[in-house]
Amino acid sequence: MKEQREYKIDEARRKLNLSNYKAALTIIPRELGIPSNAFHNYRKLKVTDKVDIPYEMVRKLEIMFNRKIGELANSKICCEAQSVLIMEYHNTEAFSA
C-alpha cells in the first residue's frame, strides 16, 4: 500500500493545465526561495516522515494554491486546548503528591 503524502501539493498542481503546470515547477521554488530539488522533496514528504516543511513555506503554498489555512495538509492535527492540558497537569500533580 502506498504511504499517504504529508501535503496535497501534487493534487493542487494537477488542477493546472499543462502549460501552467510546467510554469509552476519553476515559479513555486523561486517564490519560496528554495532550490527546485527541495520543492520536489517537499512534494514527496510522507505523513510518517520525521522532517517537515517550515510553516511559512506551507502558508505560502496554501496562498499560491488558493487554499485556506490547513487545507494543504493530508492529516488533521489534534490537540487539547492549553487550559485543558494545564487542568489535567494540576489534577495529576494533586494525585501524585
Side-chain angles (χ1 to χ4, degrees), residues 6 8 12 20 24 29-30 33-34 46-47 49 56 58 60 74 76 80 89-91 96:
E6 180 77 16
K8 301 173 192 172
N20 290 342
R30 184 190 70 210
I34 59 173
K46 307 255 186 316
V47 172
D49 288 345
E56 181 182 352
V58 175
K60 286 180 179 181
N74 257 328
K76 298 279 184 202
E80 293 288 345
Y89 172 80
H90 288 304
N91 289 339
S96 62

PDB file of all heavy atoms in Angstrom, residues 6 8 12 20 24 29-30 33-34 46-47 49 56 58 60 74 76 80 89-91 96:
ATOM      1  N   GLU A   6       2.310  13.885   2.998  1.00  0.00           N
ATOM      2  CA  GLU A   6       2.055  14.859   4.068  1.00  0.00           C
ATOM      3  C   GLU A   6       1.178  16.010   3.582  1.00  0.00           C
ATOM      4  O   GLU A   6       0.292  16.465   4.293  1.00  0.00           O
ATOM      5  CB  GLU A   6       3.395  15.395   4.590  1.00  0.00           C
ATOM      6  CG  GLU A   6       3.282  16.403   5.707  1.00  0.00           C
ATOM      7  CD  GLU A   6       2.961  15.781   7.068  1.00  0.00           C
ATOM      8  OE1 GLU A   6       3.110  14.562   7.239  1.00  0.00           O
ATOM      9  OE2 GLU A   6       2.553  16.539   7.949  1.00  0.00           O
ATOM     10  N   LYS A   8      -0.941  18.045   0.130  1.00  0.00           N
ATOM     11  CA  LYS A   8      -1.654  17.861  -1.137  1.00  0.00           C
ATOM     12  C   LYS A   8      -1.090  18.769  -2.228  1.00  0.00           C
ATOM     13  O   LYS A   8      -1.835  19.350  -3.013  1.00  0.00           O
ATOM     14  CB  LYS A   8      -3.130  18.156  -0.945  1.00  0.00           C
ATOM     15  CG  LYS A   8      -3.812  17.299   0.085  1.00  0.00           C
ATOM     16  CD  LYS A   8      -5.221  17.772   0.314  1.00  0.00           C
ATOM     17  CE  LYS A   8      -5.832  17.123   1.524  1.00  0.00           C
ATOM     18  NZ  LYS A   8      -7.129  17.709   1.856  1.00  0.00           N
ATOM     19  N   ALA A  12      -2.970  19.751  -5.835  1.00  0.00           N
ATOM     20  CA  ALA A  12      -3.263  21.140  -6.196  1.00  0.00           C
ATOM     21  C   ALA A  12      -2.652  21.493  -7.552  1.00  0.00           C
ATOM     22  O   ALA A  12      -3.282  22.176  -8.364  1.00  0.00           O
ATOM     23  CB  ALA A  12      -2.737  22.082  -5.116  1.00  0.00           C
ATOM     24  N   ASN A  20       0.571  25.738 -17.471  1.00  0.00           N
ATOM     25  CA  ASN A  20       0.705  26.315 -16.133  1.00  0.00           C
ATOM     26  C   ASN A  20       1.377  25.342 -15.157  1.00  0.00           C
ATOM     27  O   ASN A  20       2.097  25.753 -14.253  1.00  0.00           O
ATOM     28  CB  ASN A  20      -0.656  26.737 -15.596  1.00  0.00           C
ATOM     29  CG  ASN A  20      -1.204  27.933 -16.335  1.00  0.00           C
ATOM     30  OD1 ASN A  20      -0.479  28.649 -17.013  1.00  0.00           O
ATOM     31  ND2 ASN A  20      -2.501  28.147 -16.225  1.00  0.00           N
ATOM     32  N   ALA A  24       4.626  26.257 -13.079  1.00  0.00           N
ATOM     33  CA  ALA A  24       4.631  26.155 -11.616  1.00  0.00           C
ATOM     34  C   ALA A  24       5.891  25.482 -11.102  1.00  0.00           C
ATOM     35  O   ALA A  24       6.390  25.815 -10.024  1.00  0.00           O
ATOM     36  CB  ALA A  24       3.393  25.400 -11.135  1.00  0.00           C
ATOM     37  N   PRO A  29       9.331  27.148  -6.642  1.00  0.00           N
ATOM     38  CA  PRO A  29      10.612  27.188  -5.896  1.00  0.00           C
ATOM     39  C   PRO A  29      11.209  28.598  -5.843  1.00  0.00           C
ATOM     40  O   PRO A  29      11.745  29.008  -4.813  1.00  0.00           O
ATOM     41  CB  PRO A  29      11.516  26.234  -6.681  1.00  0.00           C
ATOM     42  CG  PRO A  29      10.603  25.346  -7.433  1.00  0.00           C
ATOM     43  CD  PRO A  29       9.384  26.174  -7.725  1.00  0.00           C
ATOM     44  N   ARG A  30      11.084  29.326  -6.958  1.00  0.00           N
ATOM     45  CA  ARG A  30      11.615  30.692  -6.984  1.00  0.00           C
ATOM     46  C   ARG A  30      10.917  31.558  -5.941  1.00  0.00           C
ATOM     47  O   ARG A  30      11.567  32.290  -5.187  1.00  0.00           O
ATOM     48  CB  ARG A  30      11.427  31.296  -8.380  1.00  0.00           C
ATOM     49  CG  ARG A  30      12.052  32.689  -8.498  1.00  0.00           C
ATOM     50  CD  ARG A  30      11.673  33.397  -9.778  1.00  0.00           C
ATOM     51  NE  ARG A  30      10.257  33.755  -9.689  1.00  0.00           N
ATOM     52  CZ  ARG A  30       9.440  33.848 -10.723  1.00  0.00           C
ATOM     53  NH1 ARG A  30       9.869  33.597 -11.933  1.00  0.00           N
ATOM     54  NH2 ARG A  30       8.188  34.188 -10.558  1.00  0.00           N
ATOM     55  N   GLY A  33      11.962  30.706  -2.520  1.00  0.00           N
ATOM     56  CA  GLY A  33      13.372  30.964  -2.265  1.00  0.00           C
ATOM     57  C   GLY A  33      14.150  29.694  -1.952  1.00  0.00           C
ATOM     58  O   GLY A  33      15.067  29.706  -1.128  1.00  0.00           O
ATOM     59  N   ILE A  34      13.765  28.599  -2.617  1.00  0.00           N
ATOM     60  CA  ILE A  34      14.411  27.308  -2.386  1.00  0.00           C
ATOM     61  C   ILE A  34      14.816  26.699  -3.726  1.00  0.00           C
ATOM     62  O   ILE A  34      14.259  27.047  -4.763  1.00  0.00           O
ATOM     63  CB  ILE A  34      13.481  26.328  -1.640  1.00  0.00           C
ATOM     64  CG1 ILE A  34      12.183  26.089  -2.440  1.00  0.00           C
ATOM     65  CG2 ILE A  34      13.179  26.826  -0.234  1.00  0.00           C
ATOM     66  CD1 ILE A  34      11.279  25.011  -1.881  1.00  0.00           C
ATOM     67  N   LYS A  46       6.142  12.131   3.187  1.00  0.00           N
ATOM     68  CA  LYS A  46       5.082  11.228   3.648  1.00  0.00           C
ATOM     69  C   LYS A  46       4.645  11.641   5.053  1.00  0.00           C
ATOM     70  O   LYS A  46       5.393  12.271   5.795  1.00  0.00           O
ATOM     71  CB  LYS A  46       5.604   9.793   3.670  1.00  0.00           C
ATOM     72  CG  LYS A  46       6.217   9.330   2.370  1.00  0.00           C
ATOM     73  CD  LYS A  46       5.313   8.408   1.650  1.00  0.00           C
ATOM     74  CE  LYS A  46       5.864   7.768   0.412  1.00  0.00           C
ATOM     75  NZ  LYS A  46       6.602   8.564  -0.503  1.00  0.00           N
ATOM     76  N   VAL A  47       3.443  11.265   5.431  1.00  0.00           N
ATOM     77  CA  VAL A  47       2.905  11.590   6.751  1.00  0.00           C
ATOM     78  C   VAL A  47       3.815  11.052   7.851  1.00  0.00           C
ATOM     79  O   VAL A  47       3.979  11.684   8.895  1.00  0.00           O
ATOM     80  CB  VAL A  47       1.470  11.022   6.899  1.00  0.00           C
ATOM     81  CG1 VAL A  47       0.955  11.177   8.308  1.00  0.00           C
ATOM     82  CG2 VAL A  47       0.525  11.701   5.916  1.00  0.00           C
ATOM     83  N   ASP A  49       7.093  10.683   7.748  1.00  0.00           N
ATOM     84  CA  ASP A  49       8.455  11.231   7.741  1.00  0.00           C
ATOM     85  C   ASP A  49       8.698  12.110   8.960  1.00  0.00           C
ATOM     86  O   ASP A  49       7.787  12.777   9.456  1.00  0.00           O
ATOM     87  CB  ASP A  49       8.710  12.042   6.467  1.00  0.00           C
ATOM     88  CG  ASP A  49       8.847  11.169   5.230  1.00  0.00           C
ATOM     89  OD1 ASP A  49       9.033   9.954   5.387  1.00  0.00           O
ATOM     90  OD2 ASP A  49       8.758  11.726   4.119  1.00  0.00           O
ATOM     91  N   GLU A  56       6.044  28.645   7.422  1.00  0.00           N
ATOM     92  CA  GLU A  56       5.939  29.783   6.499  1.00  0.00           C
ATOM     93  C   GLU A  56       5.835  29.311   5.049  1.00  0.00           C
ATOM     94  O   GLU A  56       5.059  29.865   4.264  1.00  0.00           O
ATOM     95  CB  GLU A  56       7.146  30.707   6.661  1.00  0.00           C
ATOM     96  CG  GLU A  56       7.097  31.924   5.762  1.00  0.00           C
ATOM     97  CD  GLU A  56       8.327  32.809   5.905  1.00  0.00           C
ATOM     98  OE1 GLU A  56       9.153  32.585   6.802  1.00  0.00           O
ATOM     99  OE2 GLU A  56       8.442  33.748   5.098  1.00  0.00           O
ATOM    100  N   VAL A  58       4.632  26.373   4.030  1.00  0.00           N
ATOM    101  CA  VAL A  58       3.316  25.756   3.857  1.00  0.00           C
ATOM    102  C   VAL A  58       2.260  26.834   3.641  1.00  0.00           C
ATOM    103  O   VAL A  58       1.407  26.716   2.757  1.00  0.00           O
ATOM    104  CB  VAL A  58       2.945  24.864   5.069  1.00  0.00           C
ATOM    105  CG1 VAL A  58       1.524  24.331   4.939  1.00  0.00           C
ATOM    106  CG2 VAL A  58       3.927  23.716   5.210  1.00  0.00           C
ATOM    107  N   LYS A  60       2.681  29.849   2.434  1.00  0.00           N
ATOM    108  CA  LYS A  60       2.867  30.427   1.101  1.00  0.00           C
ATOM    109  C   LYS A  60       2.273  29.502   0.036  1.00  0.00           C
ATOM    110  O   LYS A  60       1.615  29.966  -0.900  1.00  0.00           O
ATOM    111  CB  LYS A  60       4.344  30.692   0.819  1.00  0.00           C
ATOM    112  CG  LYS A  60       4.896  31.887   1.565  1.00  0.00           C
ATOM    113  CD  LYS A  60       6.366  32.098   1.241  1.00  0.00           C
ATOM    114  CE  LYS A  60       6.922  33.308   1.950  1.00  0.00           C
ATOM    115  NZ  LYS A  60       8.341  33.535   1.626  1.00  0.00           N
ATOM    116  N   ASN A  74      -2.609  16.689   4.587  1.00  0.00           N
ATOM    117  CA  ASN A  74      -3.371  15.464   4.378  1.00  0.00           C
ATOM    118  C   ASN A  74      -3.820  14.828   5.680  1.00  0.00           C
ATOM    119  O   ASN A  74      -4.511  13.829   5.670  1.00  0.00           O
ATOM    120  CB  ASN A  74      -2.522  14.446   3.603  1.00  0.00           C
ATOM    121  CG  ASN A  74      -2.932  14.377   2.159  1.00  0.00           C
ATOM    122  OD1 ASN A  74      -4.085  14.570   1.811  1.00  0.00           O
ATOM    123  ND2 ASN A  74      -1.983  14.096   1.305  1.00  0.00           N
ATOM    124  N   LYS A  76      -5.109  15.604   9.925  1.00  0.00           N
ATOM    125  CA  LYS A  76      -5.589  16.573  10.914  1.00  0.00           C
ATOM    126  C   LYS A  76      -4.672  16.531  12.128  1.00  0.00           C
ATOM    127  O   LYS A  76      -4.226  15.465  12.542  1.00  0.00           O
ATOM    128  CB  LYS A  76      -7.007  16.226  11.368  1.00  0.00           C
ATOM    129  CG  LYS A  76      -8.030  16.266  10.262  1.00  0.00           C
ATOM    130  CD  LYS A  76      -8.460  17.667  10.012  1.00  0.00           C
ATOM    131  CE  LYS A  76      -9.562  17.664   8.950  1.00  0.00           C
ATOM    132  NZ  LYS A  76      -9.715  18.885   8.285  1.00  0.00           N
ATOM    133  N   GLU A  80      -5.429  19.070  22.666  1.00  0.00           N
ATOM    134  CA  GLU A  80      -6.312  19.732  23.615  1.00  0.00           C
ATOM    135  C   GLU A  80      -5.905  21.193  23.769  1.00  0.00           C
ATOM    136  O   GLU A  80      -4.748  21.549  23.536  1.00  0.00           O
ATOM    137  CB  GLU A  80      -6.210  19.051  24.994  1.00  0.00           C
ATOM    138  CG  GLU A  80      -6.734  17.636  25.032  1.00  0.00           C
ATOM    139  CD  GLU A  80      -8.247  17.556  24.932  1.00  0.00           C
ATOM    140  OE1 GLU A  80      -8.931  18.569  25.116  1.00  0.00           O
ATOM    141  OE2 GLU A  80      -8.745  16.450  24.649  1.00  0.00           O
ATOM    142  N   TYR A  89      -2.778  18.603  34.098  1.00  0.00           N
ATOM    143  CA  TYR A  89      -1.487  18.600  34.778  1.00  0.00           C
ATOM    144  C   TYR A  89      -1.669  18.800  36.281  1.00  0.00           C
ATOM    145  O   TYR A  89      -1.107  18.074  37.086  1.00  0.00           O
ATOM    146  CB  TYR A  89      -0.594  19.696  34.198  1.00  0.00           C
ATOM    147  CG  TYR A  89       0.693  19.903  34.953  1.00  0.00           C
ATOM    148  CD1 TYR A  89       1.774  19.058  34.746  1.00  0.00           C
ATOM    149  CD2 TYR A  89       0.826  20.933  35.877  1.00  0.00           C
ATOM    150  CE1 TYR A  89       2.962  19.232  35.444  1.00  0.00           C
ATOM    151  CE2 TYR A  89       1.997  21.121  36.581  1.00  0.00           C
ATOM    152  CZ  TYR A  89       3.066  20.269  36.368  1.00  0.00           C
ATOM    153  OH  TYR A  89       4.236  20.445  37.064  1.00  0.00           O
ATOM    154  N   HIS A  90      -2.484  19.802  36.641  1.00  0.00           N
ATOM    155  CA  HIS A  90      -2.706  20.078  38.074  1.00  0.00           C
ATOM    156  C   HIS A  90      -3.433  18.922  38.750  1.00  0.00           C
ATOM    157  O   HIS A  90      -3.131  18.598  39.901  1.00  0.00           O
ATOM    158  CB  HIS A  90      -3.475  21.389  38.261  1.00  0.00           C
ATOM    159  CG  HIS A  90      -2.639  22.600  37.969  1.00  0.00           C
ATOM    160  ND1 HIS A  90      -1.448  22.864  38.592  1.00  0.00           N
ATOM    161  CD2 HIS A  90      -2.840  23.633  37.114  1.00  0.00           C
ATOM    162  CE1 HIS A  90      -0.931  23.998  38.144  1.00  0.00           C
ATOM    163  NE2 HIS A  90      -1.758  24.478  37.230  1.00  0.00           N
ATOM    164  N   ASN A  91      -4.364  18.291  38.055  1.00  0.00           N
ATOM    165  CA  ASN A  91      -5.062  17.130  38.623  1.00  0.00           C
ATOM    166  C   ASN A  91      -4.103  15.968  38.837  1.00  0.00           C
ATOM    167  O   ASN A  91      -4.177  15.276  39.834  1.00  0.00           O
ATOM    168  CB  ASN A  91      -6.222  16.694  37.731  1.00  0.00           C
ATOM    169  CG  ASN A  91      -7.367  17.685  37.764  1.00  0.00           C
ATOM    170  OD1 ASN A  91      -7.482  18.474  38.694  1.00  0.00           O
ATOM    171  ND2 ASN A  91      -8.199  17.645  36.750  1.00  0.00           N
ATOM    172  N   SER A  96      -0.436  12.764  42.643  1.00  0.00           N
ATOM    173  CA  SER A  96       0.906  12.216  42.894  1.00  0.00           C
ATOM    174  C   SER A  96       1.530  12.785  44.160  1.00  0.00           C
ATOM    175  O   SER A  96       2.549  12.295  44.618  1.00  0.00           O
ATOM    176  CB  SER A  96       1.825  12.487  41.694  1.00  0.00           C
ATOM    177  OG  SER A  96       1.981  13.878  41.501  1.00  0.00           O
TER     178      SER A  96
END
